Amino acid sequence: MKPPTDPGDILIIDDDPDILLMLQVLLQEEGYRVRITESGSQGERLCQEDPPALLILDLLLSGEDGRHVVQRLKQSRQTRQIPVVMMSAHPSAEHSAREAGVNAFLAKPFEIDQLLEVVHTLFHQEA
Amino acid sequence: MTPDSPHAPDRWLNWPKQLTDRFFHKRVEEELGIYEAIIASSDDAIISKTLEGIITSWNQAAERLFGYSAQEAVGQPIMLIIPPELYHEEDGILCNLRQGRRIEHFETTRVRKDGTRIAVSLSISPVRDRSGTIIGAAKIARDITERRREIEERVRLAALVDSADVSIFSKTRDGVITSWNKAAEQMYGYAAQEIIGQPVTLLFPPDRQEEFLAIMEQILRGERVQLFETVRRRKDGTLVPVSVLVSPIYDEQGQVIGASDIAHDITERKRVEEQESLLAELSLGLVATLDPPEMLNRVASLLIPRLADWFAVDLLNAAGSLELCTLVHTDPEKVHWARKQRAQFPPDRNVSSGIAQVARTGQVQWYPDVPDDLLVAHVSSEEELALLRRMGYSSAILAPLLAQGKTIGVMSLVFAESGRTYDRRHLALAEEVGRRVGLALEHAQLHHDVQQSRDQLNIILHGVADGILLYAPENQILYANETAAHMMGFSSVQQLLEAQQSHLLAKYDILDEQGQPIPPTSLTHSRVFAGEREVQMVMRYREKGREEAERWSLVTSRPVMGLHGAVVLVVTIIHDITERMQVEQRKDAFISMASHELKTPVTSLKGFTAILQRRLSKQGDEQGLSYLARMDAQLKKLTSLISELLDISRMQSGQLPFRLEHCDFDALIEEVVDTMQAATTTHQIRMEGQTGARVSADPERLTQVLLNVLTNAIKYSPEAQEIVIRRWFNHEQAVVSVQDFGIGIDQVHHERIFERFYQVGDTVEKTYPGLGIGLYISHEIVTRHHGRMWVESRKGEGSTFFIALPLLAERTSV
């Protein structure tokens, strides 16, 4: 599975550096270009400046609720189109996450194949 | 001729001497006819006889009186009508007649033709011839049977009056006594001859003289004075209680000429009445208190002075010796001396007299008098004798105090300075008093014992940390201990009892373990009253509007059965488990937190494992890949453990969500079986039966249950190759069973394997692997579906788990 010629990239926001690293390596090995950040506000800015083709973020970011980040992005013209995958250790948060505007919800711990399938679907859908 | 002119026949009999006179012949014949007619019609029997006693004439009245006709009687000797024993009378009569003497109103007895005797009054006159020679007699006989009967009656009546045991006398209008019977003599002490002619007021006590006037006023109006009770005075001045009836006496003209006075001595009746009233007062006094000394003081004040000058009670103590309990006399100084005597000379248990004897035998002792030699015989020293003499005892009764046939003490009644004497009637009364006092003392003692054990029980009950409530039907709280009162926010038990359940329900939210309100009819005690034997449940309660102060309790209710097996009371024990629940909640919160915290590192691990797998796969490192596969399997296990732990913590907090929908029971099972069959190579899963049932279930949760049971079945039958699934239904349930042929579970564990964290441990064989929470979760899930989950198993023979779910109505209606 190869990214398209104008692929765009994937932005990952998670305050856990291990998760960040794991997802970065995994997705890069799958052929995606990946940007990472541990900060919600930083990620939000990056989206405004250079919207990624897909955003993956955790629900609980340090000092920030991922759902609020998504809500704001979905309200902005610039970023409205970015598909969002949200991860959380709290499966019960799925409903509120979808209300905030996320396109997919992954309950931790998820299967890697499941992640890749979601990413693939959303990435190409947008493209 | 009237009966009042006895001389008439005399004159008539003198006339025949002139019959020869021709001159008067005709006139005489006429006159004779007249007299004959008179004689014939006379009511008195008129008979004439010769001096030899031969009857010569016999009138019609004689025929009626004696029953002989004139024809039968004339010519017969007069003995015809004289009773044989009275033949001698005739000699006397004839003798008198020969001497020319008349016999008048001679009362005697004659005999009739039919043999009956009649009382007659005879008047007999001599009959002379013309020369004056006595030739016979004319006899006039009058029947006086009736008159004699009257007289006899009067005599009998007089005898009757005399023999009556009521006093009867009569008096004039002025109250002068005119007759007086024997009973009156006895009652008042006056002989008839000394009282007749005396005024009746002699019999009235000085303070009742006006009573006489009142009685006479009534009598003179012609009214009877109905029976009334009063007091009369005897000759010796003593008073006698009497019941009197006074009636007017009339003369022939209907004028009141006096009165009859019938009186009855009611001394005995009065005594019985007084005795009864004494016993009644005694009974009242005995029930008025439960304090023995107070009780005995009441008895003493009733009996002194009526029945005693001294009153003492000795009670048998546990050691069997007598203890002086009460000693009463009007003079405190005497009491002092008596106590001194008792203190110095306690009753010897072994002597055969006195209170020791009564205590030993239970028999009353009676001393009509207390002679000095009795004292001498009783005492052990000169000093005691001196003390006893000082008391001046004159008569005594020592009666046992009996309770249920057992002697519990001795009551001493003593007359001293009043000089009275106890008689047999006192004895019976004293024994009765002894029985009643004994029973009352026993009752007081029982009450005291009950009170004491109740107090002790109360101290224990109030001291326990669990709340205890006693309910009567209609949810009435009969008893509560202090803990219960405090649990419910009352400062005292009294307040709780006043508030009762309705107040509690208004004040508190009462919830079940899951936080659902419990209706009053489902409270544990209500359910026991409704027929359940023992009900235990976890309850949460909190004051309305104060959710933060919620308390948790384990509430247990048990019935108290009455004689006929009906529930009469319910005991509810409230064990506060708030602390425990708080710890549990903290634990659950911790588990929840920890599980969430575990998820992120596991996610990382899974991700890195996947990365490594990809790399090693490219490198063709098969061994490395197999290690990673193991790692991945462990990660899967870790993941499922985390998820189970989370399920548990959410179940505890009531947060495990259920999404019920109508499911196809068979299809759901088949899906799970397919999944499991695909994942196992060791076992063959065989299906039997079908239900076609639809149930209301959360398919995800039900799948979880079935997976858990199937996983266990495979896991715990490593030696077997088969698992059997059976499905069936009855009129209300769809059932699925999962049977394995593995190690089995000992019966002792059957109930408990569904408990949280319960692990079937075995000291000899290996412990069951796993945390043991899967079954708990499964059981909880089935229960929340209103279903039932259970196991049948024997050690070494495999296990069968059953899951039963209620059918949907649509299935049952098919």
Side-chain angles (χ1 to χ4, degrees):
Chain A
M1 206 185 303
K2 290 287 172 190
T5 43
D6 182 17
D9 62 0
I10 298 174
L11 177 63
I12 307 170
I13 314 171
D14 199 318
D15 60 354
D16 185 317
D18 283 333
I19 294 282
L20 266 185
L21 180 62
M22 182 271 284
L23 289 175
Q24 189 184 20
V25 172
L26 193 70
L27 291 174
Q28 279 175 347
E29 291 205 352
E30 287 293 318
Y32 297 101
R33 278 191 291 126
V34 176
R35 275 184 285 168
I36 57 169
T37 176
E38 290 184 26
S39 150
S41 50
Q42 170 79 9
E44 213 175 325
R45 202 163 54 245
L46 288 172
C47 283
Q48 295 290 347
E49 287 167 6
D50 181 7
L54 180 67
L55 173 65
I56 301 175
L57 81 168
D58 194 37
L59 188 135
L60 290 178
L61 303 168
S62 50
E64 187 85 66
D65 186 325
R67 286 168 295 195
H68 295 161
V69 174
V70 175
Q71 259 169 358
R72 285 193 294 273
L73 290 175
K74 289 290 177 183
Q75 274 161 14
S76 161
R77 226 164 183 271
Q78 205 85 358
T79 54
R80 187 186 294 159
Q81 303 306 316
I82 306 170
V84 181
V85 176
M86 183 168 274
M87 308 173 290
S88 175
H90 297 272
S92 56
E94 181 174 348
H95 183 67
S96 60
R98 286 192 186 277
E99 280 199 332
V102 305
N103 304 80
F105 184 88
L106 289 173
K108 289 179 182 174
F110 44 79
E111 295 300 316
I112 300 307
D113 290 345
Q114 193 189 351
L115 168 80
L116 291 177
E117 195 186 318
V118 166
V119 168
H120 179 80
T121 309
L122 289 176
F123 194 87
H124 291 286
Q125 198 176 60
E126 192 54 28
Chain B
M1 198 180 292
T2 70
D4 293 325
S5 45
H7 301 290
D10 220 5
R11 270 183 268 130
W12 168 68
L13 286 168
N14 284 332
W15 280 324
K17 64 177 181 178
Q18 298 165 355
L19 292 180
T20 54
D21 193 333
R22 285 180 178 268
F23 190 73
F24 292 106
H25 184 78
K26 182 126 171 97
R27 237 183 100 193
V28 166
E29 273 198 348
E30 278 172 12
E31 273 192 19
L32 197 62
I34 290 166
Y35 284 119
E36 273 176 354
I38 291 169
I39 289 167
S41 62
S42 168
D43 277 342
D44 290 336
I46 301 172
I47 302 163
S48 62
K49 61 178 181 187
T50 62
L51 278 179
E52 286 73 42
I54 301 300
I55 297 167
T56 53
S57 73
W58 189 264
N59 75 345
Q60 283 168 9
E63 287 183 338
R64 281 197 299 275
L65 184 61
F66 296 108
Y68 296 98
S69 65
Q71 214 173 345
E72 288 174 313
V74 174
Q76 294 294 321
I78 193 69
M79 299 308 186
L80 184 71
I81 56 165
I82 298 177
E85 71 272 16
L86 295 180
Y87 286 165
H88 61 274
E89 270 184 9
E90 188 60 15
D91 299 337
I93 291 167
L94 290 174
C95 184
N96 276 319
L97 285 174
R98 283 190 195 103
Q99 287 165 23
R101 284 202 288 270
R102 282 169 55 90
I103 299 163
E104 289 186 22
H105 304 308
F106 172 61
E107 288 184 7
T108 183
T109 303
R110 290 294 176 260
V111 65
R112 302 179 79 241
K113 185 184 176 185
D114 62 8
T116 55
R117 310 275 168 122
I118 45 173
V120 291
S121 171
L122 301 179
S123 291
I124 304 165
S125 309
V127 177
R128 303 167 193 266
D129 63 10
R130 240 177 286 173
S131 62
T133 309
I134 295 169
I135 56 163
K139 184 188 275 185
I140 298 175
R142 176 173 294 178
D143 181 0
I144 57 165
T145 311
E146 199 53 43
R147 208 181 77 203
R148 183 164 286 182
R149 194 176 294 143
E150 272 171 26
I151 291 165
E152 278 171 4
E153 201 115 290
R154 213 175 295 159
V155 170
R156 261 207 304 281
L157 206 62
L160 199 67
V161 168
D162 252 0
S163 65
D165 63 354
V166 291
S167 127
I168 302 172
F169 63 82
S170 59
K171 58 196 174 194
T172 63
R173 289 171 63 103
D174 307 322
V176 175
I177 292 169
T178 52
S179 70
W180 189 257
N181 77 345
K182 286 227 167 60
E185 286 187 348
Q186 267 167 11
M187 197 163 111
Y188 298 107
Y190 291 100
Q193 61 268 28
E194 59 184 336
I195 193 76
I196 288 174
Q198 295 294 322
V200 75
T201 47
L202 270 181
L203 306 175
F204 286 67
D207 58 341
R208 286 183 188 263
Q209 292 288 323
E210 74 283 1
E211 193 179 289
F212 165 71
L213 297 172
I215 292 170
M216 287 319 285
E217 196 184 323
Q218 209 172 329
I219 289 297
L220 294 179
R221 280 202 304 268
E223 290 168 18
R224 172 184 250 218
V225 179
Q226 295 296 344
L227 212 56
F228 71 103
E229 286 178 13
T230 181
V231 176
R232 291 284 178 262
R233 194 173 63 168
R234 292 198 187 90
K235 188 182 174 185
D236 64 6
T238 58
L239 300 178
V240 52
V242 289
S243 167
V244 183
L245 178 72
V246 187
S247 314
I249 298 174
Y250 300 92
D251 65 6
E252 286 162 11
Q253 281 72 46
Q255 296 296 307
V256 176
I257 53 165
S260 70
D261 189 315
I262 300 174
H264 194 269
D265 182 348
I266 56 171
T267 309
E268 180 59 20
R269 206 187 77 205
K270 280 277 177 201
R271 207 188 56 74
V272 169
E273 277 173 8
E274 268 168 33
Q275 190 168 315
E276 275 166 5
S277 95
L278 178 81
L279 287 174
E281 278 180 67
L282 180 77
S283 294
L284 281 178
L286 290 174
V287 296
T289 175
L290 284 164
D291 175 44
E294 164 70 13
M295 187 186 287
L296 293 175
N297 279 333
R298 280 168 188 263
V299 175
S301 60
L302 267 175
L303 300 185
I304 296 175
R306 275 192 272 186
L307 200 63
D309 296 327
W310 285 94
F311 173 79
V313 165
D314 291 84
L315 294 177
L316 280 167
N317 61 19
S321 47
L322 286 162
E323 268 177 41
L324 181 63
C325 188
T326 299
L327 184 70
V328 184
H329 184 272
T330 46
D331 182 354
E333 201 193 329
K334 286 200 169 176
V335 171
H336 167 76
W337 285 113
R339 281 195 178 277
K340 190 175 172 193
Q341 183 255 326
R342 279 296 302 270
Q344 284 184 356
F345 310 101
D348 184 342
R349 246 200 268 192
N350 301 314
V351 298
S352 58
S353 65
I355 58 174
Q357 165 85 351
V358 177
R360 200 170 49 240
T361 62
Q363 299 293 314
V364 68
Q365 296 249 318
W366 172 35
Y367 304 97
D369 50 8
V370 183
D372 197 58
D373 52 357
L374 184 73
L375 296 182
V376 172
H378 184 76
V379 298
S380 55
S381 74
E382 274 301 316
E383 196 185 352
E384 188 182 3
L385 184 63
L387 279 170
L388 279 178
R389 279 175 176 157
R390 189 193 275 261
M391 304 301 159
Y393 298 148
S394 66
S395 185
I397 291 174
L398 310 178
L401 300 178
L402 297 171
Q404 286 151 34
K406 203 177 84 215
T407 307
I408 60 164
V410 181
M411 174 184 74
S412 306
L413 299 177
V414 182
F415 279 136
E417 64 279 355
S418 70
R420 284 177 289 171
T421 299
Y422 289 110
D423 58 25
R424 286 202 176 277
R425 289 175 303 204
H426 288 123
L427 193 63
L429 182 60
E431 282 186 288
E432 182 58 30
V433 171
R435 271 192 292 275
R436 293 191 187 197
V437 171
L439 209 58
L441 285 172
E442 180 82 348
H443 176 231
Q445 181 63 43
L446 283 176
H447 181 85
H448 177 258
D449 291 350
V450 168
Q451 189 80 44
Q452 196 172 27
S453 54
R454 206 170 67 177
D455 287 350
Q456 283 168 356
L457 204 60
N458 233 0
I459 290 166
I460 294 167
L461 288 176
H462 282 308
V464 299
D466 286 344
I468 299 172
L469 292 168
L470 193 61
Y471 283 94
E474 309 295 329
N475 300 318
Q476 192 201 350
I477 302 173
L478 284 185
Y479 172 86
N481 68 351
E482 274 172 23
T483 312
H486 294 158
M487 278 176 167
M488 296 174 193
F490 294 100
S491 55
S492 74
V493 170
Q494 196 52 40
Q495 279 186 5
L496 166 63
L497 293 180
E498 281 161 14
Q500 289 291 334
Q501 173 166 298
S502 52
H503 179 87
L504 292 176
L505 293 178
K507 190 177 173 189
Y508 288 96
D509 286 325
I510 300 176
L511 312 171
D512 66 11
E513 205 174 348
Q514 274 73 48
Q516 297 303 306
I518 305 177
T521 49
S522 297
L523 291 171
T524 54
H525 64 270
S526 304
R527 286 169 58 188
V528 172
F529 274 123
E532 290 184 54
R533 282 206 84 66
E534 178 180 321
V535 180
Q536 188 172 66
M537 67 190 288
V538 173
M539 263 185 208
R540 295 154 62 177
Y541 61 97
R542 59 198 183 196
E543 221 173 302
K544 289 200 164 133
R546 291 190 60 208
E547 276 75 16
E548 75 285 359
E550 184 176 81
R551 305 294 299 178
W552 289 71
S553 320
L554 181 66
V555 182
T556 311
S557 289
R558 293 192 190 93
V560 177
M561 300 296 187
L563 280 179
H564 306 292
V567 179
V568 289
L569 296 171
V570 172
V571 181
T572 295
I573 296 168
I574 307 170
H575 182 58
D576 190 285
I577 53 168
T578 307
E579 296 288 310
R580 206 174 88 196
M581 291 313 290
Q582 282 169 349
V583 169
E584 296 267 321
Q585 279 175 335
R586 279 198 291 274
K587 200 168 78 190
D588 287 334
F590 173 76
I591 290 172
S592 173
M593 190 268 289
S595 335
H596 285 113
E597 288 302 308
L598 281 171
K599 284 176 170 178
T600 301
V602 168
T603 308
S604 290
L605 282 172
K606 285 174 87 86
F608 285 118
T609 309
I611 292 165
L612 278 176
Q613 259 174 336
R614 282 167 164 76
R615 292 195 174 176
L616 291 181
S617 177
K618 278 178 196 161
Q619 291 162 17
D621 183 346
E622 289 302 320
Q623 194 172 27
L625 278 172
S626 77
Y627 295 153
L628 280 178
R630 281 172 182 268
M631 216 169 122
D632 198 44
Q634 290 304 315
L635 280 171
K636 280 206 170 78
K637 200 175 277 180
L638 192 56
T639 305
S640 86
L641 281 178
I642 290 167
S643 122
E644 283 180 344
L645 281 173
L646 268 172
D647 282 351
I648 287 179
S649 68
R650 279 145 84 195
M651 267 175 189
Q652 289 304 305
S653 52
Q655 289 166 0
L656 189 66
F658 277 80
R659 275 180 292 275
L660 295 178
E661 43 190 82
H662 292 189
C663 304
D664 182 330
F665 189 67
D666 295 343
L668 201 133
I669 293 165
E670 280 152 23
E671 205 175 302
V672 176
V673 169
D674 288 349
T675 310
M676 279 308 289
Q677 189 63 79
T680 180
T681 49
T682 53
H683 292 71
Q684 195 64 40
I685 305 171
R686 188 154 56 83
M687 302 269 280
E688 285 180 12
Q690 269 194 313
T691 64
R694 293 185 68 78
V695 293
S696 171
D698 179 334
E700 203 179 311
R701 292 294 168 196
L702 205 53
T703 301
Q704 186 183 346
V705 172
L706 291 163
L707 279 175
N708 174 251
V709 174
L710 269 167
T711 309
N712 282 343
I714 292 167
K715 193 155 70 180
Y716 299 125
S717 63
E719 311 283 310
Q721 287 84 43
E722 197 184 36
I723 305 287
V724 181
I725 306 238
R726 293 186 183 85
R727 290 173 296 186
W728 70 93
F729 68 94
N730 56 30
H731 62 286
E732 53 186 16
Q733 286 178 318
V735 188
V736 57
S737 72
V738 178
Q739 184 179 20
D740 69 59
F741 303 92
I743 56 178
I745 305 163
D746 195 289
Q747 185 132 21
V748 295
H749 303 299
H750 286 190
E751 289 285 321
R752 303 196 61 196
I753 52 168
F754 299 109
E755 286 178 14
R756 191 183 179 189
F757 302 131
Y758 186 74
Q759 189 132 31
V760 180
D762 197 316
T763 47
V764 183
E765 297 171 43
K766 63 174 182 181
T767 302
Y768 274 62
L771 262 183
I773 53 178
L775 282 177
Y776 165 71
I777 294 168
S778 295
H779 187 263
E780 279 294 310
I781 290 170
V782 173
T783 306
R784 301 263 181 107
H785 279 84
H786 305 290
R788 204 158 79 82
M789 183 170 179
W790 71 101
V791 65
E792 286 174 7
S793 177
R794 288 171 82 167
K795 209 169 172 197
E797 294 178 18
S799 309
T800 307
F801 282 84
F802 297 84
I803 294 154
L805 292 181
L807 289 175
L808 274 176
E810 55 189 271
R811 178 65 188 80
T812 46
S813 64
V814 167

